[in-house]
Structure formats: C-alpha cells, structure tokens
Amino acid sequence: MVDVLTTVINAVTISALYALVAIGFTLIFGVGGVLNLAHGAILTIGAFTAYYATSAMGLGIWTGALAALVVAGLFSAVLYLGMIRWIQDEPILVMILTLVSSIAIEQFFLVAVGTQPKAVPSLLQGQLSIAGSTVQTNQALTFVLSWLLIGALIVAVNYTQTGKAILATSMSTKGAALVGIESDRMYLYTWLLAGALAGVAGVFLASVRTASWTMGRGPLILSFSIVVIGGIGSIRGSVVGAYLIGFLEVFTVTYVDSSLSGLASLVVLVVVLLVRPEGLFGRELAEA
Amino acid sequence: MSEKVTTDGESYRDLLDPTSLALRHQLGVLGLLVLGLLPFGVGPLMALKLTGALYFAVFAMSWDAVSGYTGQISFGHGLFFAVGGYTSALLNLNWGVEPALAVVVGMAMAAVAGVVVGVPALRLEGPYLSLVTLVAPLILLQIFIVFSDTFGGELGLSSPENLVTFESFETAITANYYLAFGLFLFVLVLLLAVTRSDAGSVFTAIREDEDAVAAAGLNPAKFKVFAFVLSAAVGGLAGAMFVHTPVGNPQPSQLLLLTVSIEVIIASVLGGMGTIVGPAVGGLFYYMFRDYLGSITWTVPLTDVPVSELDLLLFSLVTLALLFFLPGGFVRWTIRNGRRALRGGGPDGGRAVPDGGVESDAGTTPVERTLASFREALGDDASTEDDNEH
C-alpha cells in the first residue's frame, strides 16, 4: 500500500496548481461572462516559455518562470484585445473561437517542439522531511507560492482601487459604468491576470511532470469541474473546488485505478451540474 | 423585416418546376446534380474521400438541427456519431450481425443517447448545457479506454464489413458513394422539412425566447427532447453507415475525440448555423479542405516543415479568421451579397423562409440571437449588453 501521507502531499501540491488555473478561469467567467477555453493552452505557453528560457537561452529557471508569467499574461491580454473584445457579447462564438485558438496553439507547439515531452528544471532542488516522509522542495514551493499568489490576489481584489473596480464590474457592469469604471479595461486586467496565473501554473506543472503540447487539456477540463463545483465566478469556491478535485484525482489514481484518471472528476462535474448547477459558493461575484 | 411567407401550394409547385425557383434554389439543385455526377468525373480515390465528406456533412446537419435551431449548443456531438458507429461495428464484429441491421441498431442506440443528453438539457441552460455536452464524449472515451478489451481503447476496433460489397473495387467505391449520397439527400430533405414545418418554427421560437413558447401553451421540454433525439438518431445513423465504408473506421480519432465534436461545430458555423443547407455545404467543404491541406507536400521555407504536418494549424488559423469575419456563415453571406448584387431596385429577390435564416438583417444571426438566452442563464440582465454598445 502506498504511503497515505505521500499521497496526501501529492494531492495538496497538485491541488495548489489546479487552484491557480481555476482562479484565472473563474475570474474571466465571473467578470467578463465568457468561457475562455484557451486557458489550458495559455498554461502550455507558460510551460514552454520556461523551457525555452532555460534550455535554449541558458537562463536560470527563476528568470524562466518570470518570463513565463509575463509572456502568458501578455498573450492572454493580446487574445482579449485582438479577438474577444469584439465578440464578447456572443458567448457561443467566444467558446468556439477560444477553442479553435487553443487548437492552433497546441498545433503550433506540436510542430515546433514535437510530440516528445520536455523536462523543465525544478525551481528548488533538494528534499525536505515532513513528519517522516520526504517531500521535494519544489513541491513545497509550489504549495507556498500558490497560496502567496492566491492571498495576494484576494488582498488586491478587496483592498486596491483597481481590484474593487474589477469586483464592481463583475457585480454589475451598468452600476460600475455609472461610477466611471471602464468595463473594457477591467476585462483586460482580468485576462492579463488569468494568463499570468496560468503561465506560472504551467511552469510548475512542467517541472513536476513534463511539458508537452497536450499538457493544457487536463487542467482545462479539471478547471470546468472545479469552477462548477465551487460556483462559477467565486474565487473562494475555486480554491475549495481545486482541493476537492485534486484530492479526488490523486486518490482515485493511487488507490483505485490509474486508468480512471480524469473520469472521476468528469462524473462529479455532471452530477453537480444536474443537482446544484450554481455550485457551492455560486454567484459570490457574479451577482450583487 | 419584409418576410413574405408563401403558402404550401406555391412552394410545392416551385419544387416541381425548377425554372420557377429562386436563383439560390436553382444553384442548390445544380450543386446536388454535380454531386450526383461527381463519381464519373473524379478518380476512385477522390470518390472515396467524397464519401467520407458526405457522411461528415450529414453529421454537421444533425448538429444544426438541435444547436442551430433550438439554440441548445451541443459541444459534444461526437458522442452520437460514436455511439452509432461503435454499436454498429461491435454488433458486426462480435456477433456477426448483418451490417444493414447493425446500422439500424446503432441508430437506435444513438437515439437513446439523445434522450440521455436531451433530458438533462431541460434543466440546464446556455453554457452549463454546453459544458455537460462537452464532457459527455470525454466520459465515453474514458470508458472506452478502461474497457479497451471490448472497445479497443484509443486505437479503436478493426474495420467491420462494408455495407455494400462488389467484386470490383471501383464498383464498390461508386456504390458506397451513392449510398452516402442517398443518405445525404434523404437527411437534407428530412431536416429541411422538419425545420420548415411548424415544429421547426417552435424550435426557432425556443432559441429566441423559451418563456414565450411556454406562455403560448406549448411545452418547450417536449420539443427540445424531440430535437435532441432526432439529431442524435441522424448523427448515429451517419456514424454507423460511415464505419461500414472503406473510408471510415471505428476509432476514437474518427468518431469520438474532442476534435470531432469541435470540427462539426466549425464546419456548421462556417457554412451558416441555423440553415441546414449551410452545415451541409460547410461539412463537405471542411472535410475536403482539411484533406487537401493534408496532401500538400510543399515545404515551408526556413522551417523545413511540410504543409501536410501543418494542416490542422493552418486550418485552425483560417477558421479563426473566417469565423471572426463571417459569423453568419458562408451560405448566408453569399445569399445576402448575391441578392444585393442582383437587386437592381427590384422587389425581394427570393422567397423568404420561416427560419429567418435568409432575409436576415445584419446583427440577427442565430449566433447572436442565442445570446439572449445565454445572458439569462448567466444571471445577467440585458444591461450588460447595453453598456458594451455605448
């Protein structure tokens, strides 16, 4: 039998990453009201930026991670400015176009990098010992950094001028407009932020596993489950959902059957949608 | 809107006398004639590819019947295609059931799958429904992988018997082509008839305003499930017949992968969602264009990458551009511009059709009209829309 503590540590680490991905996804949905199906592909962009920065340009992995954050964030912002801004009133078209964009990005990496997965170095080397079981320092860092970012985000949204403006836009675009908030600029910030978070998550995911052209698909689909369970638009719900889904995934794969990977969370998603479509913390952001 | 609704008598007379048809209908009939004669003009390999394209077009039309008309956007239509195809192939391979019978059972199973997806559709709205339909084929694929002994996992099953077999390879290809063409014609006429009937008007009304339909004393649930089952049965029929041809195989890559479900949406929206004819044209075009891109051996300078490897990348970029600039689709765009070119001050150039798919003013494509119901589902009122316009 696999050590339970090790499994829990794995689950906690991966959940921390899922939380980063899901928060970006839920922010865009909660504030802009659109589903960004290219979110997983943006994560892939982050991972490969770090890969190229470290392997081709010989930079350190920390610089690489920073580059990933910037590149993924900028790409997300460009996607919004170049495409989504013009069609954001047509949710179906947004879904279709972001999905096609993600296919284009995946295909780009398939052609540029090939099908062989690429290794990205760990951000911290070495191991720690927690309660008698060894933990990769990199995993511990993932967890800590994830919570730092989430904490910073919550503080930023609730206590800064811009953060409050974003919150106001998510609650009522009209009300926000009345007090002089430009909704388009708020949407842009959300896309930028979501892209940056996904980029960082991509670097960590690639350093824990590997970087490949399809690496964004799993996290994207898990994000659906996470944000639906947590309630679309709710940051708190996404964090809770990420840990629920993360634990469910890791425990199913470890103790039941590795071929069930992905299935459990999909079934949960369907059940939640049918039983309680608004999720656990539904409409925290989306409605006044 | 200057819609002129014709009486039934007129439209039947029109159908019998090609010269009385509007230009776009004449062009449509001409197109069908060309499709019918194609096997004599192109080589067997091309005829084989066209067979695949015809089944894909049928599949695209089935998507349009539910998504384009009722506004219940299905992101996982590959599910029905796969259920039909796999059921039929398994029956034939494992129990030696005659292909013709297996196809019928496959279609019935797909219809059952339509009920399974259609009933939840009554509870969910807008993006939530799309999410569930997006996830359904993913779950099915996982099941296929877990039980790969039965379903062949990611590699799929071996080819079942062909529906029609002949001594000569070329005769078999031509026969398969006409089988596909027959189904194509049948589904085209069937879906055109359904969507232009009273039921079709209710479908469109559901897309526009479901509450209004309910207020008028009609039960939207009944029509939505009907649309789903009809669409699933047609999609399943296409899938089942597709695997019994030399081109189609019961493999996830051809029937079930997420890309299949997405391809059918791209093809339909490219052609023109909510018109049936549009997805038929879009489906044929999509399949053949992808195939064409895949066969180019020219290598892109500097990168040393042959175009055939870039096919999906190029295609997705082209699609992005087309969808972005022509959200109403080819067919609608051609008709609108063609009519504008023809109309030298004359009255309405063609017959108006009840689906509103033709004489539409800018800004009223089905895509845009489905918007309202999506907004509602998101808990947003119309105010968001107004703000963005000002």
Side-chain angles (χ1 to χ4, degrees):
Chain A
M1 180 150 161
V2 196
D3 184 7
V4 179
L5 190 65
T6 316
T7 317
V8 170
I9 290 169
N10 281 335
V12 166
T13 319
I14 208 74
S15 306
L17 284 183
Y18 290 162
L20 286 183
V21 184
I23 284 178
F25 190 71
T26 212
L27 267 181
I28 291 180
F29 196 98
V31 178
V34 296
L35 277 173
N36 173 19
L37 299 184
H39 200 59
I42 291 172
L43 177 146
T44 317
I45 290 180
F48 277 105
T49 307
Y51 167 73
Y52 276 113
T54 51
S55 70
M57 297 163 69
L59 298 170
I61 180 63
W62 283 90
T63 326
L66 196 65
L69 183 140
V70 173
V71 171
L74 284 182
F75 182 86
S76 182
V78 168
L79 192 67
Y80 172 76
L81 286 177
M83 194 166 79
I84 309 300
R85 185 159 55 118
W86 310 102
I87 51 162
Q88 58 191 356
D89 288 338
E90 298 170 30
I92 308 161
L93 209 52
V94 172
M95 284 172 92
I96 295 173
L97 285 182
T98 50
L99 205 52
V100 177
S101 309
S102 77
I103 292 176
I105 296 166
E106 281 186 359
Q107 288 296 315
F108 172 77
F109 284 118
L110 175 64
V111 173
V113 187
T115 49
Q116 204 62 32
K118 303 289 179 194
V120 169
S122 301
L123 277 93
L124 283 181
Q125 299 293 332
Q127 294 175 334
L128 289 175
S129 179
I130 298 176
S133 102
T134 48
V135 183
Q136 302 289 329
T137 320
N138 197 40
Q139 284 189 318
L141 178 70
T142 310
F143 180 74
V144 173
L145 203 68
S146 155
W147 276 103
L148 279 180
L149 285 172
I150 294 170
L153 184 69
I154 289 175
V155 170
V157 166
N158 288 310
Y159 298 101
T160 67
Q161 202 77 17
T162 315
K164 284 179 185 168
I166 291 178
L167 205 59
T169 312
S170 80
M171 287 171 179
S172 161
T173 318
K174 194 173 230 166
L178 282 174
V179 293
I181 296 168
E182 283 175 61
S183 57
D184 276 4
R185 197 138 54 89
M186 297 309 131
Y187 296 150
L188 177 63
Y189 290 155
T190 342
W191 279 79
L192 192 69
L193 203 61
L197 289 178
V200 175
V203 178
F204 275 104
L205 201 63
S207 73
V208 175
R209 297 174 183 170
T210 44
S212 75
W213 64 288
T214 52
M215 69 180 290
R217 289 184 187 175
L220 174 71
I221 291 172
L222 288 168
S223 294
F224 296 159
S225 309
I226 291 168
V227 301
V228 167
I229 288 176
I232 286 179
S234 157
I235 295 179
R236 188 166 47 139
S238 301
V239 177
V240 175
Y243 280 84
L244 283 176
I245 290 293
F247 271 79
L248 184 68
E249 276 289 308
V250 173
F251 275 79
T252 323
V253 170
T254 317
Y255 295 112
V256 187
D257 193 335
S258 61
S259 60
L260 289 176
S261 156
L263 187 60
S265 60
L266 293 181
V267 174
V268 170
L269 167 64
V270 172
V271 171
V272 171
L273 274 175
L274 293 180
V275 177
R276 195 178 153 82
E278 71 276 18
L280 293 175
F281 302 93
R283 300 292 154 84
E284 185 191 66
L285 275 174
E287 231 169 35
Chain B
M1 291 273 263
S2 61
E3 281 198 335
K4 183 173 71 180
V5 180
T6 46
T7 59
D8 281 350
E10 251 177 85
S11 54
Y12 290 135
R13 190 158 7 103
D14 284 355
L15 286 176
L16 290 176
D17 175 16
T19 52
S20 75
L21 291 176
L23 179 63
R24 62 198 172 87
H25 292 139
Q26 288 175 350
L27 286 176
V29 172
L30 186 69
L32 286 179
L33 276 178
V34 171
L35 266 184
L37 295 172
L38 263 183
F40 301 105
V42 298
L45 186 65
M46 187 52 102
L48 208 55
K49 286 174 183 169
L50 282 166
T51 310
L54 282 169
Y55 283 118
F56 189 73
V58 172
F59 182 41
M61 284 190 276
S62 81
W63 181 85
D64 198 38
V66 63
S67 298
Y69 279 85
T70 68
Q72 315 287 306
I73 305 295
S74 163
F75 260 82
H77 232 60
L79 179 80
F80 305 131
F81 206 41
V83 167
Y86 268 86
T87 308
S88 183
L90 279 173
L91 283 174
N92 181 248
L93 291 170
N94 291 358
W95 288 286
V97 177
E98 280 291 307
L101 181 62
V103 165
V104 175
V105 180
M107 179 174 129
M109 283 297 287
V112 172
V115 176
V116 172
V117 177
V119 170
L122 304 177
R123 292 183 47 110
L124 299 168
E125 284 182 15
Y128 296 96
L129 170 73
S130 299
L131 268 187
V132 165
T133 52
L134 184 65
V135 161
L138 295 174
I139 293 179
L140 189 65
L141 183 60
Q142 286 287 337
I143 293 172
F144 281 6
I145 291 171
V146 172
F147 299 100
S148 25
D149 292 347
T150 316
F151 299 106
E154 291 189 50
L155 293 176
L157 301 165
S158 54
S159 261
E161 274 175 59
N162 283 350
L163 207 50
V164 284
T165 43
F166 286 95
E167 295 274 318
S168 140
F169 186 59
E170 294 197 3
T171 320
I173 285 177
T174 315
N176 268 304
Y177 180 86
Y178 279 108
L179 205 59
F181 185 61
L183 181 73
F184 176 82
L185 270 186
F186 169 71
V187 170
L188 183 69
V189 172
L190 173 79
L191 291 183
L192 280 176
V194 170
T195 52
R196 269 71 176 160
S197 70
D198 291 348
S201 309
V202 179
F203 287 177
T204 323
I206 289 175
R207 181 183 71 202
E208 309 291 326
D209 188 348
E210 199 177 324
D211 294 337
V213 174
L218 294 162
N219 181 2
K222 204 172 71 180
F223 285 93
K224 279 203 252 180
V225 171
F226 171 61
F228 256 104
V229 173
L230 172 74
S231 168
V234 170
L237 177 62
M241 287 183 66
F242 183 56
V243 298
H244 292 288
T245 63
V247 273
N249 290 308
Q251 295 166 350
S253 62
Q254 287 194 12
L255 298 176
L256 186 58
L257 282 192
L258 195 54
T259 41
V260 177
S261 302
I262 304 313
E263 279 171 347
V264 74
I265 301 177
I266 294 176
S268 306
V269 177
L270 271 185
M273 191 177 148
T275 57
I276 299 293
V277 178
V281 176
L284 287 172
F285 166 78
Y286 180 93
Y287 195 97
M288 296 316 289
F289 188 55
R290 266 295 297 280
D291 186 77
Y292 169 73
L293 280 178
S295 67
I296 299 177
T297 47
W298 184 70
T299 309
V300 181
L302 299 177
T303 55
D304 248 10
V305 184
V307 170
S308 55
E309 259 181 52
L310 292 172
D311 67 333
L312 198 50
L313 176 61
L314 286 179
F315 198 87
S316 41
L317 292 176
V318 170
T319 308
L320 269 182
L322 282 175
L323 289 178
F324 189 76
F325 292 111
L326 288 182
F330 278 146
V331 168
R332 209 176 261 115
W333 183 83
T334 316
I335 290 173
R336 196 185 301 144
N337 285 282
R339 185 171 296 159
R340 196 173 295 156
L342 286 177
R343 191 190 296 155
D348 198 344
R351 277 184 343 195
V353 286
D355 70 344
V358 173
E359 198 34 80
S360 62
D361 300 325
T364 52
T365 63
V367 178
E368 285 164 273
R369 276 177 282 176
T370 314
L371 159 76
S373 55
F374 267 66
R375 287 262 162 225
E376 221 168 280
L378 296 175
D380 253 4
D381 50 349
S383 62
T384 323
E385 231 179 312
D386 293 340
D387 288 335
N388 292 330
E389 280 167 12
H390 296 146

